[in-house]
Amino acid sequence: IIMTAPAWETEYGLPKSNLQRVVRAALPPNTQIGKDAKTGISMASTLFCFYHTSTASEIAAKNKRAVISANDMLEALDEMGFENFRDTLNNFINARRKEKEAKTKRKHSEIEKQDGQGVNHVEEAEEEEEEETSERPQKFLKGAQDDDQQQLREDDQEDDLDEQEDQEDQEQNQHHQHQHQ
């Protein structure tokens, strides 16, 4: 199936605002990014995610598991030839695990302090945390949609400025051509 860039981005693309933040962080200050380059970065990023996920899925299936683990994602990087990213991803995964463990410990100690019997309420707190976590993607997507709408407005403004600059350039070229005649 061949899709146009806007349809492809809408269907599969990562949130533009997030991508733009990542790209801008990697570039020198005041570097402009053309619209085609933004589209290319979006498509390349999404394709990389597809490829990484499908490779990790194959590894999980090969090990007779239906769930992709963090180790599958790490092994997939090796298999894809991106082993130089393995340490970075592994450090992120470990930091995320430690953060989650610390949060769980804080919740457990808060519950125990509240009524002295906290053990009975630990399961309730974990269920509440699970509900919060399941709601997070919807909140993230809503935030991403808001960010994307803002980004579209900014892109439209950039396009308007580009068109205005192009028109001014054309007018200057015409003016120079008339002067040389």
Side-chain angles (χ1 to χ4, degrees):
I1 297 175
I2 297 175
M3 298 178 114
T4 62
W8 187 88
E9 285 180 303
T10 302
E11 185 72 22
Y12 301 109
L14 299 169
K16 282 184 177 183
S17 56
N18 293 351
L19 281 175
Q20 190 156 345
R21 264 181 263 159
V22 170
V23 170
R24 287 198 190 283
L27 296 173
N30 301 322
T31 302
Q32 296 296 315
I33 307 163
K35 193 170 187 174
D36 289 343
K38 288 177 190 176
T39 301
I41 291 167
S42 176
M43 292 178 82
S45 301
T46 302
L47 289 173
F48 180 82
C49 290
F50 284 158
Y51 182 43
H52 190 200
T53 304
S54 69
T55 304
S57 177
E58 289 171 7
I59 292 168
K62 199 178 344 178
N63 292 311
K64 297 181 171 75
R65 287 183 282 105
V67 177
I68 298 171
S69 72
N71 287 334
D72 296 330
M73 298 302 286
L74 293 168
E75 191 177 329
L77 285 175
D78 293 340
E79 196 170 303
M80 295 164 51
F82 289 98
E83 50 278 328
N84 53 333
F85 292 110
R86 185 185 179 99
D87 288 341
T88 303
L89 181 58
N90 195 32
N91 290 339
F92 174 80
I93 290 168
N94 289 333
R96 180 77 175 108
R97 285 177 180 157
K98 287 178 183 175
E99 182 183 298
K100 194 172 181 180
E101 286 173 15
K103 185 176 180 181
T104 301
K105 284 181 184 177
R106 280 195 308 272
K107 273 196 171 182
H108 286 254
S109 65
E110 287 174 16
I111 292 168
E112 289 172 2
K113 286 178 187 175
Q114 285 176 358
D115 64 2
Q117 302 173 353
V119 179
N120 297 334
H121 300 286
V122 169
E123 287 180 16
E124 292 172 18
E126 287 173 349
E127 286 174 11
E128 286 175 18
E129 183 178 340
E130 203 170 291
E131 287 173 14
E132 286 176 22
T133 305
S134 68
E135 291 173 5
R136 240 180 253 147
Q138 287 95 6
K139 289 179 183 176
F140 172 77
L141 288 174
K142 173 69 173 117
Q145 288 170 344
D146 292 344
D147 288 347
D148 282 347
Q149 288 175 350
Q150 175 65 29
Q151 189 60 50
L152 286 173
R153 285 191 292 276
E154 290 173 11
D155 287 347
D156 288 343
Q157 289 172 347
E158 276 183 38
D159 291 344
D160 290 345
L161 287 173
D162 289 344
E163 286 176 24
Q164 187 177 4
E165 288 173 5
D166 289 344
Q167 190 173 17
E168 288 171 2
D169 289 344
Q170 286 175 351
E171 289 172 4
Q172 284 179 348
N173 287 338
Q174 288 174 352
H175 181 70
H176 287 303
Q177 285 175 355
H178 287 300
Q179 283 181 339
H180 291 294
Q181 291 177 349

